[in-house]
Amino acid sequence: MLTSKIFCGILFFMNTNKNTDNEMMNTQVKKVDAMHPDMDIMREAGEIIRQGGLVGFPTETVYGLGADALLPEGAKRIYAAKGRPSDNPLIVHIADFEALKKITSYIPPQAKALADAFWPGPLTMIFQKSDAVPYETTGGLDTVAVRMPSHPTALALIREGGGYIAAPSANTSGRPSPTLAEHVYEDLKGKIPMILDGGAVGIGIESTIIDLSEEIPMILRPGYITKEMLSEVIGEVKDDPGFASADPNVHPKAPGMKYRHYAPSADYTIYKGDEVKVAEKIIELANEKADEGKITGIITADQHLHMYQGRLNNRIKVVSLGDLEKPETVANHLFKALRDFDKVDTEFIFGEAFSEKNVGQAIMNRLTKAAGYNIIDV
Ligand code: AMP
Ligand code: MG
């Protein structure tokens, strides 16, 4: 009797520690001081990475879901946890320029110049990969995307985790990218063992991706580092026409850009044109939906809030993404705003378009995808 109890106890113990990928696991959320993370916590997180496990962590762009980039099973776990199509390659994060040598077969001089200008920071570059990088990480491609983040917690995790962390954004595939640890928890609780909570991220949209293998370097995904900033360092830079196209026959060079992305559950439409006319149109349509009893939201900016005041059904949730004079504030609030609309089960979102100048290009790229290319000229 006693022996069978002990035996059952041992079986139970073994079972709870097996943690096969389909089993729910306990997700620990560890608060860290973003600028000076506790090194005991970082070592513990690094150990999970070294063992092939996953850790959610803050970067200056959005929260990442990290695994050892050189272990095939690390990448596989990322795809499984996110529900991400496995042909959508992962960005490898490094903590120093020297680390690039092991994972690439050639470093063009332009890459050195861009790294000097923007690393550590929100720029990802595409290189020919070396044999050290498994195809699981690159989604079957012979190229590898690499970035050196500037966030101290991210850098500490990379160092403690062995130097190479594959990390996409730490959201369920298709949902808005996470800018707070609680967004990561919302999407990935029970699927990953640890989330490092370093508070709100600084930038709020993903890195700019540049491909230097083209004759004229090509931006595959717009981000905080703009075309103008890149051109100042390496001369002419062009956009991949694929990332902005609603046409499914135009294939973006970054495989991930073809997927529907950042989408709130609501039916979201963007209105573009003269700002007064846009506000009038949004007021008319939002009131119509709210009067029908639909849960309705509006996306605007600080400078335009006054146009809506006193004109709306009071159940309509009006959200300003930020100050039009400081577009980085808009970038910073965009994904959280989309998630917050989901939290209250918003059914319809009527949104203003934003300027596409400089970082505005990245902002409109994310909003356009979130709206499923639903843009109406007013
Ligand atoms: P995420 O990490 O979720 O921000 O997405 C990473 C983005 O980088 C996706 O759009 C990928 O398709 C893109 N990407 C990663 N590696 C490569 C590569 N080798 N070539 C082109 N695009 C890449
Ligand atoms: Mg992503």
Side-chain angles (χ1 to χ4, degrees):
M1 184 67 183
L2 185 64
T3 38
S4 80
K5 258 193 188 158
I6 291 171
F7 185 62
C8 281
I10 291 171
L11 267 186
F12 178 71
F13 178 76
M14 284 167 56
N15 201 27
T16 52
N17 277 277
K18 213 168 51 183
N19 260 341
T20 63
D21 284 350
N22 299 328
E23 261 173 51
M24 292 297 268
M25 59 177 89
N26 177 33
T27 302
Q28 297 183 69
V29 180
K30 301 251 180 183
K31 277 219 181 298
V32 289
D33 177 338
M35 294 302 129
H36 305 281
D38 179 326
M39 286 315 289
D40 284 340
I41 296 177
M42 296 316 300
R43 273 188 286 275
E44 200 185 325
E47 189 54 30
I48 293 175
I49 300 278
R50 286 171 190 271
Q51 301 290 330
L54 305 183
V55 175
F57 65 102
T59 81
E60 70 277 22
T61 58
V62 299
Y63 270 76
L65 177 61
D68 187 330
L70 308 187
L71 292 178
E73 63 268 33
K76 281 188 191 155
R77 288 206 169 106
I78 289 178
Y79 290 117
K82 277 181 63 91
R84 178 173 171 122
S86 60
D87 70 342
N88 186 359
L90 308 173
I91 295 172
V92 178
H93 293 71
I94 56 174
D96 53 75
F97 190 80
E98 281 301 294
L100 204 50
K101 295 188 180 141
K102 179 169 170 184
I103 55 173
T104 58
S105 60
Y106 172 63
I107 301 175
Q110 288 166 319
K112 176 78 176 76
L114 288 176
D116 286 343
F118 301 114
W119 277 4
L123 179 69
T124 296
M125 294 189 257
I126 309 285
F127 297 89
Q128 288 302 314
K129 81 173 192 71
S130 73
D131 291 343
V133 187
Y135 282 113
E136 283 79 358
T137 297
T138 66
L141 298 177
D142 287 315
T143 52
V144 60
V146 188
R147 176 165 106 82
M148 189 197 299
S150 64
H151 196 294
T153 304
L155 290 170
L157 184 68
I158 296 165
R159 293 198 179 100
E160 295 301 323
Y164 299 93
I165 294 198
S169 47
N171 52 291
T172 299
S173 211
R175 288 212 73 205
S177 297
T179 55
L180 292 170
E182 67 199 57
H183 297 160
V184 184
Y185 191 74
E186 232 167 67
D187 284 12
L188 299 176
K189 65 172 176 292
K191 296 182 174 173
I192 63 174
M194 187 181 284
I195 298 169
L196 299 170
D197 179 356
V201 299
I203 292 177
I205 50 173
E206 305 85 346
S207 59
T208 306
I209 302 179
I210 188 162
D211 182 350
L212 301 168
S213 70
E214 300 272 339
E215 207 166 282
I216 300 169
M218 189 190 257
I219 295 178
L220 306 189
R221 175 173 73 184
Y224 192 77
I225 308 280
T226 63
K227 188 156 57 175
E228 293 70 23
M229 291 158 80
L230 294 164
S231 296
E232 271 181 33
V233 181
I234 54 167
E236 193 187 354
V237 173
K238 63 181 179 188
D239 287 331
D240 173 9
F243 75 65
S245 177
D247 180 349
N249 296 316
V250 180
H251 297 291
K253 214 175 161 195
M257 299 299 278
K258 69 175 179 262
Y259 294 107
R260 179 146 195 238
H261 247 98
Y262 320 122
S265 320
D267 180 325
Y268 171 25
T269 309
I270 296 174
Y271 295 85
K272 200 172 178 176
D274 171 78
E275 56 187 48
V276 177
K277 283 192 189 149
V278 163
E280 288 300 326
K281 191 77 194 161
I282 289 177
I283 290 167
E284 176 197 329
L285 296 173
N287 276 334
E288 223 172 85
K289 286 294 174 203
D291 292 346
E292 285 170 17
K294 305 286 185 204
I295 306 173
T296 305
I298 290 177
I299 291 180
T300 179
D302 292 355
Q303 283 83 346
H304 295 164
L305 279 169
H306 68 94
M307 292 195 274
Y308 298 92
Q309 259 158 23
R311 309 264 328 265
L312 294 172
N313 177 316
N314 59 18
R315 286 194 308 275
I316 296 174
K317 178 176 154 87
V318 182
V319 174
S320 165
L321 293 189
D323 180 349
L324 295 174
E325 301 290 316
K326 297 181 192 136
E328 58 289 357
T329 60
V330 175
N332 192 260
H333 295 133
L334 176 164
F335 287 132
K336 180 174 185 300
L338 295 175
R339 278 182 181 259
D340 287 348
F341 279 122
D342 276 354
K343 273 198 189 135
V344 293
D345 300 322
T346 308
E347 295 167 274
F348 290 90
I349 302 173
F350 299 91
E352 296 174 4
F354 288 78
S355 154
E356 296 196 34
K357 272 215 318 249
N358 300 323
V359 73
Q361 189 190 22
I363 290 169
M364 278 309 288
N365 171 263
R366 306 312 190 268
L367 290 179
T368 304
K369 280 176 180 280
Y373 297 96
N374 233 340
I375 302 191
I376 292 176
D377 284 308
V378 179

